[in-house]
Amino acid sequence: MFSIDERFRGLPASREQVLSLYQSINSPHLAIPGKPAGPAQAFVLGLRGSGGFAVFIYLYLAEAQDCAVYVPGRRNASPEEYQQDEAEALAFVESMGFMMDNANFRGLPPPSQDELLKTLPVFFKDPKLVPSQGKSRADDKRTASTNLGRLLASF
């Protein structure tokens, strides 16, 4: 039902367009065809358009600053079809090893919704525009190894 659409690099949306947002609470290591393998973050995003509803799956590869956007087989779904598509999208990402959490976007106050629209990778036009989240785990390991080496060398 869902397939990768290389034309999509992000899913910028307004607060009013977002129906639902689910975010992974883990980052399993994925190998997505045509993308470098690495830890990924998943988002399932329900959007309202002028002709109906659609559910998208956005996988963000932070280390590569890349993404994969899965689009539904049908766009402009009815409310009943939308609920079915959302359930299928969640089952799909969970089958990849993601543990999903409902961000309860519609229940958040508008300032919190705006903050999510400005900070979550799914809402950026291009994954290369997502601000770096600081040091990577590899950097942390190198720092720890360096510090341990210095400590042992001091003896």
Side-chain angles (χ1 to χ4, degrees), residues 30-151:
L30 285 188
I32 300 167
K35 311 283 182 192
Q41 201 176 7
F43 299 90
V44 173
L45 180 64
L47 295 176
R48 174 183 307 141
S50 57
F53 310 106
V55 177
F56 297 88
I57 298 169
Y58 180 90
L59 302 179
Y60 178 61
L61 302 161
E63 289 179 359
Q65 286 190 302
D66 204 353
C67 70
V69 179
Y70 289 79
V71 297
R74 63 176 162 224
R75 306 252 176 96
N76 302 325
S78 70
E80 296 79 25
E81 292 169 329
Y82 167 80
Q83 288 179 337
Q84 179 185 352
D85 290 350
E86 183 179 72
E88 287 179 18
L90 289 168
F92 180 64
V93 295
E94 287 171 353
S95 74
M96 287 189 242
F98 290 102
M99 294 183 291
M100 302 302 289
D101 182 42
N102 186 346
N104 194 22
F105 188 88
R106 300 291 343 142
L108 295 172
S112 296
Q113 291 176 347
D114 290 337
E115 184 66 24
L116 290 177
L117 291 171
K118 291 177 190 170
T119 58
L120 292 180
V122 64
F123 295 116
F124 283 80
K125 285 187 241 182
D126 190 307
K128 297 198 182 323
L129 300 174
V130 176
S132 173
Q133 298 295 323
K135 297 187 298 182
S136 71
R137 287 184 187 154
D139 291 340
D140 290 341
K141 286 179 186 174
R142 277 192 293 266
T143 303
S145 298
T146 303
N147 290 341
L148 179 61
R150 287 182 184 154
L151 176 66

